[in-house]
Coordinates of all heavy atoms in Angstrom, one line a residue:
N1193 N 1.8 5.4 0.5 CA 1.7 6.3 1.6 C 0.4 6.9 1.8 O -0.1 7.1 2.9 CB 2.8 7.4 1.5 CG 4.1 6.9 1.9 OD1 4.2 5.9 2.5 ND2 5.2 7.6 1.6
I1253 N -27.6 38.4 4.1 CA -27.8 36.9 4.0 C -28.5 36.5 5.3 O -28.1 36.8 6.4 CB -26.5 36.2 3.8 CG1 -25.9 36.6 2.5 CG2 -26.8 34.7 3.8 CD1 -24.6 35.9 2.2
C1300 N -8.1 9.8 -15.9 CA -7.4 11.1 -16.1 C -6.6 11.5 -14.9 O -5.5 12.1 -15.1 CB -8.5 12.2 -16.4 SG -9.3 11.9 -18.0
A1314 N 11.8 17.6 -13.0 CA 12.4 18.8 -13.5 C 12.8 19.7 -12.4 O 13.9 20.4 -12.5 CB 11.4 19.5 -14.4
K1316 N 14.0 18.9 -9.6 CA 15.3 18.3 -9.1 C 16.4 18.7 -10.0 O 17.5 19.1 -9.6 CB 15.1 16.8 -9.1 CG 15.4 16.2 -7.7 CD 15.6 14.7 -7.8 CE 15.4 14.1 -6.5 NZ 15.1 12.7 -6.6
A1321 N 16.4 27.5 -10.3 CA 16.1 28.2 -11.5 C 14.8 27.7 -12.1 O 14.3 28.2 -13.1 CB 17.2 28.0 -12.6
V1373 N -10.6 -3.4 -9.1 CA -10.5 -4.6 -8.2 C -10.0 -5.8 -8.9 O -9.0 -6.4 -8.4 CB -11.9 -4.9 -7.5 CG1 -11.8 -6.0 -6.6 CG2 -12.4 -3.6 -6.8
Y1404 N -40.0 12.0 -1.6 CA -38.6 11.8 -1.6 C -37.9 12.4 -0.4 O -38.4 13.4 0.1 CB -38.0 12.4 -2.9 CG -38.5 11.8 -4.2 CD1 -39.5 12.5 -4.9 CD2 -38.1 10.5 -4.6 CE1 -40.0 11.9 -6.1 CE2 -38.6 10.0 -5.8 CZ -39.5 10.7 -6.5 OH -40.0 10.1 -7.7
E1408 N -30.9 17.5 -1.9 CA -30.2 18.7 -1.7 C -31.0 19.7 -0.9 O -32.2 19.6 -0.9 CB -29.8 19.4 -3.0 CG -31.0 19.8 -3.9 CD -30.6 20.6 -5.1 OE1 -29.5 20.4 -5.6 OE2 -31.4 21.4 -5.6
A1438 N -29.1 15.8 3.7 CA -29.6 15.5 2.3 C -29.3 14.0 2.1 O -28.4 13.4 2.8 CB -28.8 16.3 1.3
E1442 N -26.2 6.8 -3.5 CA -25.0 6.8 -4.3 C -24.7 5.4 -4.8 O -24.8 4.4 -4.1 CB -23.8 7.3 -3.4 CG -23.9 8.7 -3.0 CD -23.5 9.8 -4.0 OE1 -23.2 9.4 -5.1 OE2 -23.7 11.0 -3.7
Q1447 N -15.6 5.8 0.1 CA -14.5 6.6 0.6 C -14.8 7.2 1.9 O -14.7 8.4 2.1 CB -14.1 7.6 -0.4 CG -13.2 7.0 -1.5 CD -13.1 7.9 -2.7 OE1 -14.1 8.5 -3.2 NE2 -11.9 7.9 -3.3
R1451 N -18.2 10.2 0.6 CA -19.4 10.0 -0.2 C -20.4 9.1 0.6 O -20.2 7.9 0.8 CB -19.1 9.3 -1.5 CG -20.2 9.3 -2.5 CD -19.9 8.8 -3.8 NE -18.9 9.6 -4.5 CZ -19.1 10.8 -5.0 NH1 -20.3 11.3 -5.0 NH2 -18.2 11.5 -5.6
L1481 N -13.2 30.6 -1.4 CA -11.8 30.1 -1.3 C -11.2 30.8 -0.1 O -10.5 30.1 0.7 CB -11.1 30.4 -2.6 CG -9.6 29.9 -2.5 CD1 -9.6 28.3 -2.4 CD2 -8.8 30.3 -3.8
H1484 N -12.0 29.1 3.1 CA -11.2 27.9 3.3 C -9.8 28.2 3.8 O -9.2 27.6 4.7 CB -11.1 27.1 2.1 CG -12.4 26.4 1.7 ND1 -12.8 25.2 2.4 CD2 -13.4 26.7 0.9 CE1 -14.0 24.8 1.9 NE2 -14.4 25.7 1.0
G1525 N -19.1 23.3 -4.2 CA -19.4 23.7 -5.6 C -20.0 25.1 -5.6 O -20.6 25.6 -4.6
T1530 N -28.7 30.4 -12.8 CA -29.7 31.2 -13.6 C -31.0 31.4 -12.9 O -31.1 31.4 -11.7 CB -29.9 30.6 -15.0 OG1 -30.6 29.4 -14.9 CG2 -28.6 30.4 -15.7
E1538 N -42.3 28.4 -10.5 CA -43.4 29.3 -11.0 C -44.4 28.4 -11.8 O -45.6 28.4 -11.7 CB -42.9 30.4 -11.8 CG -42.5 31.6 -11.0 CD -42.4 32.9 -11.9 OE1 -42.2 32.8 -13.1 OE2 -42.7 34.0 -11.4
K1544 N -46.4 33.2 -8.9 CA -45.3 34.1 -9.3 C -44.2 34.1 -8.2 O -44.5 34.2 -7.0 CB -45.8 35.5 -9.5 CG -46.6 35.7 -10.7 CD -46.1 37.0 -11.5 CE -46.7 37.2 -12.8 NZ -46.7 36.0 -13.7
N1555 N -40.9 43.9 -12.4 CA -40.8 42.6 -11.8 C -39.9 41.7 -12.6 O -39.9 41.8 -13.8 CB -42.1 41.9 -11.8 CG -43.0 42.5 -10.7 OD1 -42.6 42.5 -9.5 ND2 -44.2 42.9 -11.1
V1560 N -29.7 33.2 -9.7 CA -29.2 32.7 -8.4 C -27.8 32.2 -8.5 O -27.4 31.6 -9.5 CB -30.1 31.5 -8.0 CG1 -29.5 30.7 -6.8 CG2 -31.5 31.9 -7.6
L1567 N -20.8 19.3 4.7 CA -20.3 19.4 6.0 C -19.4 18.2 6.3 O -18.3 18.3 6.9 CB -21.4 19.6 7.0 CG -21.0 19.6 8.5 CD1 -19.9 20.6 8.8 CD2 -22.3 20.0 9.3
V1610 N -1.1 15.9 40.4 CA -1.3 14.7 41.2 C -2.7 14.7 41.7 O -3.3 15.8 41.8 CB -0.3 14.6 42.4 CG1 1.1 14.2 41.8 CG2 -0.3 15.8 43.2
A1633 N -12.0 20.0 29.1 CA -12.1 18.7 29.7 C -11.3 18.6 31.0 O -10.4 19.5 31.2 CB -11.5 17.7 28.7
E1636 N -7.5 13.4 35.3 CA -6.6 13.3 36.5 C -5.9 11.9 36.5 O -5.2 11.6 37.4 CB -7.3 13.6 37.8 CG -8.5 12.7 38.1 CD -9.1 12.9 39.4 OE1 -9.0 14.0 40.0 OE2 -9.8 11.9 39.9
C1655 N -3.1 22.3 27.1 CA -3.2 21.5 28.3 C -2.8 22.4 29.5 O -1.8 23.1 29.4 CB -2.3 20.3 28.3 SG -3.0 19.0 27.3
Y1672 N 1.4 24.0 24.9 CA 0.8 24.2 23.6 C 0.9 22.9 22.8 O 2.0 22.3 22.7 CB 1.5 25.3 22.8 CG 1.3 26.7 23.5 CD1 2.1 27.1 24.5 CD2 0.3 27.5 23.0 CE1 1.9 28.3 25.1 CE2 0.1 28.7 23.6 CZ 0.9 29.1 24.6 OH 0.7 30.4 25.2

Side-chain angles (χ1 to χ4, degrees):
N1193 280 345
I1253 300 181
C1300 292
K1316 237 191 200 161
V1373 177
Y1404 296 104
E1408 61 175 28
E1442 298 280 359
Q1447 279 167 319
R1451 192 174 296 290
L1481 181 63
H1484 287 283
T1530 68
E1538 274 200 330
K1544 287 226 172 311
N1555 282 306
V1560 170
L1567 175 48
V1610 289
E1636 57 176 25
C1655 283
Y1672 294 84

